[in-house]
Amino acid sequence: MDQEESIYYLADSDLDLSFTSITTATTDRTLSARSSLARSSLTLSFNESRLSTASTTTPSTAIPNVHHRPHRRHDNPNWAAVNAATTLSADGALHLRHLKLQRLVGSGNLGRVFLCRLRDYDHANFALKVVDRDSLSFKKLSHVQTEAQILSSLDHPFLPTLYAHIEVSHYICLLMDYCPNGDLHSLLRKQPYNRLPVQAVRFFVAEVLLALEYLHAQGIVYRDLKPENILIREDGHIMLSDFDLCFNSDISPKLESRRQMKVDSGRYSCFGDREREEQVTEFVAEPTTAFSKSCVGTHEYLAPELVSGNGHGNGVDWWAFGVLIYELLHGTTPFKGASKESTLRNIASTKGVRFHVAEGEREEPGMAEARDLIEKLLVKDPRRRLGCARGATDIKRHPFFNGIKWPLIRTYRPPEIRGLAVKRSKSKMHVSHVTGASSPRRRRCFWKKLSNLMRIKRSKYRLNSNSNYYSYVDYDVRKCD
């Protein structure tokens, strides 16, 4: 089949969207054997005020238009393509006839995901999720509606951007970001011994932590954290997906003050380092009153209170966060047994997490801090589990995340690991991932420019004659490659 035959244009009619003609296409993401216990489809909302949903949308499934997304709207070729297509559309709306399918990239229990582009705009790639509404039970349909409402309210760089929600006949078509690097589970399987280096783990889980912090601040409990649901964008940063198992809860944001000791460097003092007390105000928004008795999720990531069936709350996400860190570092989950039943028994038992270290194996820097964080997250009593009371605010202060400048995390350079192809952006500052340090090449260029500037100023103003204020040393700086 040549390239022209592999592109499919859709018309706005009662179509057969089963796509049986392209079942031979290679899939990038399929259902994992570690699938969720309960699963509905991934649905994405229509979230741009200039666009409108299809006329077939009923009041029961309508998604209200909300505010623009400042984090993803600017410098985003996808929004430019969508806006251009809707501007030329007769009714100002996006329709299936504007889309052309490239290939199948994944499939789930209730839908398929295709790589697609807008006609005449080949520079912007999208993922189109197609869900058959007639195949859903009433309960699963309610899950889809709840998920669509949740996703329509999200505005975060590590969560999906929703471009269109089109309903034609009994199909729900949802346009969202395409992540060419697949998911974190597939990336993990490409590594030696299915493990990631500590620095790479710190990079990925720090971004996951911020995404969970945002969800919890909205009163949303995720309940389906696992590597399969962590997609990797073309720039190497993550995007959470699959929000069908979420549930909403009330939230009471508050500002809390605490005192901490800060060490002042004695570099300019005759008395050495000094400690002083300072007051820090922190924003805390955690759904501590969240409660549900639904047994949903992936069995290896289920929290003990969820396995028991006596009810659970926000703590299930922080338990899953600890399991995620463990799996990325060790290549397996901490309570995995020979069968699903034995795994659930291990989770429900009173035994704590164990770490398997091969004899003679050299430990990476940061592994001790990672183990300490995992132990605090995998506490089986949710009342004593790290994060359950004050959420990500407490977790970000753990030594495992020392050195991370949280407001700048979007500018960090992703780790260089096997199987991860990262598209570099010339407009963004590339800083070393996690630590935030600039690259050696940039440092050399900076000092060379600074040296040249000082040399010019010195010759112009003869500042080198005043040794009380300036002292210059000429260094032999190599040319920057």
Side-chain angles (χ1 to χ4, degrees), residues 127-250:
L128 181 71
K129 180 69 174 285
V130 180
V131 178
D132 186 353
R133 189 166 48 199
D134 287 353
S135 66
L136 306 180
S137 64
F138 177 79
K139 183 177 181 180
K140 290 183 177 180
L141 182 59
S142 66
H143 287 171
V144 172
Q145 296 170 0
T146 300
E147 180 187 24
Q149 292 172 354
I150 288 175
L151 289 171
S152 68
S153 66
L154 301 182
D155 178 15
H156 194 272
F158 302 138
L159 294 174
T161 298
L162 312 180
Y163 300 98
H165 174 196
I166 306 172
E167 297 192 15
V168 176
S169 182
H170 53 93
Y171 291 100
I172 303 174
C173 302
L174 309 136
L175 201 64
M176 59 180 179
D177 287 316
Y178 171 65
C179 297
N181 281 310
D183 57 62
L184 195 55
H185 179 265
S186 300
L187 182 65
L188 194 63
R189 294 299 170 262
K190 298 176 183 178
Q191 310 308 313
Y193 305 104
N194 298 329
R195 302 175 185 176
L196 287 173
V198 174
Q199 297 299 325
V201 173
R202 184 182 286 116
F203 172 84
F204 288 123
V205 300
E207 296 189 341
V208 171
L209 178 59
L210 293 183
L212 289 177
E213 180 183 38
Y214 177 86
L215 291 174
H216 283 203
Q218 304 296 317
I220 300 169
V221 181
Y222 186 44
R223 295 200 296 186
D224 202 15
L225 183 63
K226 57 183 177 180
E228 292 89 336
N229 288 342
I230 303 172
L231 305 185
I232 305 177
R233 301 180 187 268
E234 65 177 357
D235 60 3
H237 295 271
I238 68 102
M239 182 186 82
L240 287 190
S241 67
D242 288 3
F243 294 81
D244 50 301
L245 303 185
C246 297
F247 76 94
N248 287 286
S249 175
D250 294 332

